[in-house]
Amino acid sequence: MSLAYFALIVSIVSASTLEIAGAKFGAQLGTMAAALSLLAATASARKADYDHYVRATSWGRWIPIAIPLFIAAQLAPLPLSFAHPIWASTRDAIGGLPFGPITADIGLTVSALLLALAAISLLGVTILVVRNRSRAELVLFVLGGVTAISALMLDLHRLSPALAGAAPSDFTTTLAGFGLMLNLAVMQLAAERAETHHSVLRSVAIGLGGLVGALASALAVFGLSGTNSAIAAGFGIVLILLILVIRRLDLSPLAASALSAAALIGAAIVLSFLFEKGSGPVLLRLVPDMGAETRAALERMLSDTRWFGAGAGTFAAVGRIYQSDAGAALTAPSTAAAVFAGMGWIGLVAALAVSSIALARLFFGALQRGRDSFFPAAAAACVLFALVQSFAGPGLLRPAAILCLTVIVGLGLSQSVSQSGSR
C-alpha cells in the first residue's frame, strides 16, 4: 500500500495547493494521482483489505456509483423529452432527430464524469490505506495542514492584500470550514495521546499545531466569510461537541437519542429561519446578494430545468443562453444550484441522499468507535458543513474541494471500523 498511500497524499496536496495558486492543471494532476493510487491499491490489496472495505462500506457501497452512472446516461442518445426544453425547441425550429444526448456540452460532462470516478476511486483507496492508524494520523495531519494553509491565505489576503495574492474566496472558505473540523480533531488526537502516556512534548506540539490551524480556519470562516458559511461551520462544531458529550458522559441510548433529537430539531429550526428569510426559488435563498438581472436570469434557468438536468458540469455553457449581458458570464451561485441545473431533481436528490447516509454512518460510527472517535466525528462534521455550505456558495464545485472531502469521508469510514493494530 505504500505507493497507493504516496499517490493519495500527492492527490490531496497537488490539487489543493495548485487550486489555491490559480493553476489550471491542479484537477488533472489530482485525478491522475487518484488513478495511480487506485491501480496501486488494487495490485497490493489482500483479503483482509477487502474485508475491511466491505465492513467500512456496509452502509451502501453501491450507492455512490449511482452518480457517475447518471452522468454517463446524460451522454447517451435519449428521447429529447428527457432533455432540457431548449433542445426540444431547437428541434421544433430547425428539425432533426428526435433523440440525442441530454447534456448541453459533451466535453464538460465527460470531465465531470472523470472527476466523479476519481472521487469514488479516492474514497475506496482511502478506506484501504488508512486501516493502519499511523497512516490515518498522517493523512489527518496532511488534510489539516493543507486546509489551514488555505484558511491562512484567505486571512492574509483579506487583512492585508499585499501579503498574499487573491485566491478563490469560495474555495478557500470551503477548505477553511474543513480545516476547522479537522484541526479540532488534531487537538483531540493530541489530548488522546497525552491520556495514553505518549510523549508529552510531542502531544503538546501536535496540539499547538492543531490549535493554530483551528484559529486560522475559525478566523477565515467566522470573521471573513458570509453569515451562512459561519452557520454551516457552527453546525459542524455542534456535531463534534454532541458526539464528545455523548461519549464522555457515557450516556444511555435513550439519553443520547433524546439529546440528538433535540440537536436535530434545533438545526431544523435554524435552517427553516434561514430559508424563510430569503425569497424566490429555494436554491437561491442562501446565496449572497446579486443583481436583479442576474437573479432573474438564474430563476429562468432553474425554472426550465427538468428532472434530468442539462448535463453535469454545463452550468456556464447553458448560462450563456440566459444571461442578459453578453459580456458577463452567468456563474453558479451555489453548489446545489449547479447540481440541480446540471443533473436535475434526480441528481440533486441523489447527491443529498448520499451525503445524508454518509453523515448518519459517520455519526453512529463515531459513537461506537472508542478512543479514535475523532476521525469519524471530524468527517461527519465536514459532511454536515458541506451540506449546508452547498446551498450558500459554489466552493464545493472546485475539483480540489471534492477530492479533499472524499478523502475526509474515506478516513472517517475506515476508522469507524478499523483497529489500531491493523496492518
Side-chain angles (χ1 to χ4, degrees):
M1 289 292 174
S2 297
L3 180 57
Y5 172 67
F6 174 75
L8 175 68
I9 298 298
V10 170
S11 179
I12 301 170
V13 175
S14 62
S16 302
T17 55
L18 291 175
E19 190 86 41
I20 294 172
K24 301 297 184 181
F25 57 90
Q28 290 81 354
L29 185 57
T31 302
M32 291 172 60
L36 177 60
S37 65
L38 177 63
L39 290 175
T42 303
S44 59
R46 303 175 182 177
K47 185 179 184 301
D49 296 318
Y50 175 76
D51 292 340
H52 175 76
Y53 177 83
V54 170
R55 288 193 300 141
T57 57
S58 59
W59 55 279
R61 68 186 60 91
W62 302 113
I63 295 177
I65 300 179
I67 295 177
L69 286 178
F70 181 74
I71 297 176
Q74 292 183 319
L75 297 168
L78 294 173
L80 290 182
S81 58
F82 294 108
H84 197 280
I86 58 177
W87 309 140
S89 301
T90 302
R91 177 180 176 274
D92 293 339
I94 64 177
L97 297 175
F99 55 87
I102 291 176
T103 177
D105 190 305
I106 293 177
L108 292 176
T109 301
V110 169
S111 297
L113 176 60
L114 292 177
L115 180 59
L117 293 175
I120 292 178
S121 300
L122 273 183
L123 177 66
V125 170
T126 305
I127 291 174
L128 296 179
V129 166
V130 300
R131 278 185 65 206
N132 182 291
R133 191 175 187 275
S134 62
R135 285 182 176 173
E137 291 180 1
L138 289 175
V139 170
L140 177 63
F141 294 154
V142 170
L143 287 168
V146 167
T147 52
I149 290 173
S150 174
L152 184 61
M153 293 294 293
L154 178 60
D155 295 339
L156 293 177
H157 179 71
R158 293 287 177 84
L159 296 175
S160 178
L163 293 177
S169 60
D170 53 351
F171 172 65
T172 50
T173 298
T174 299
L175 285 195
F178 293 159
L180 179 57
M181 315 307 165
L182 293 168
N183 282 286
L184 288 176
V186 171
M187 294 170 65
Q188 291 183 58
L189 185 152
E192 179 271 327
R193 279 175 169 266
E195 290 178 358
T196 52
H197 307 294
H198 282 72
S199 170
V200 175
L201 183 60
R202 186 175 181 184
S203 299
V204 170
I206 292 173
L208 288 177
L211 178 61
V212 171
L215 290 176
S217 300
L219 176 61
V221 175
F222 293 110
L224 304 175
S225 300
T227 302
N228 293 331
S229 296
I231 292 175
F235 282 155
I237 294 175
V238 169
L239 182 61
I240 291 177
L241 293 177
L242 175 64
I243 294 172
L244 190 61
V245 168
I246 292 175
R247 286 195 60 255
R248 289 292 183 178
L249 298 182
D250 196 19
L251 298 180
S252 65
L254 181 60
S257 299
L259 186 60
S260 300
L264 184 61
I265 293 172
I269 293 173
V270 173
L271 288 177
S272 298
F273 173 74
L274 291 177
F275 278 102
E276 289 176 357
K277 282 179 58 180
S279 59
V282 173
L283 296 177
L284 298 181
R285 292 188 180 181
L286 297 187
V287 300
D289 292 335
M290 60 189 76
E293 292 186 1
T294 301
R295 175 174 283 273
L298 288 171
E299 290 181 357
R300 291 196 304 271
M301 182 178 178
L302 295 178
S303 65
D304 284 342
T305 300
R306 296 187 177 181
W307 284 94
F308 296 90
T314 62
F315 189 97
V318 177
R320 298 190 189 99
I321 301 171
Y322 292 88
Q323 64 191 41
S324 55
D325 185 359
L330 195 64
T331 58
S334 69
T335 302
V339 171
F340 174 71
M343 302 176 65
W345 281 115
I346 293 179
L348 180 60
V349 170
L352 293 177
V354 170
S355 301
S356 300
I357 293 172
L359 175 60
R361 176 66 180 82
L362 290 165
F363 176 75
F364 289 109
L367 294 181
Q368 299 168 0
R369 184 63 180 101
R371 69 186 182 93
D372 292 336
S373 63
F374 53 83
F375 287 110
C382 287
V383 172
L384 181 57
F385 168 77
L387 272 172
V388 180
Q389 175 68 12
S390 65
F391 288 88
L396 279 170
L397 295 175
R398 302 277 181 170
I402 295 173
L403 297 181
C404 279
L405 181 59
T406 300
V407 174
I408 292 169
V409 172
L411 174 64
L413 289 175
S414 184
Q415 284 296 314
S416 294
V417 297
S418 184
Q419 299 297 323
S420 58
S422 61
R423 292 176 58 189

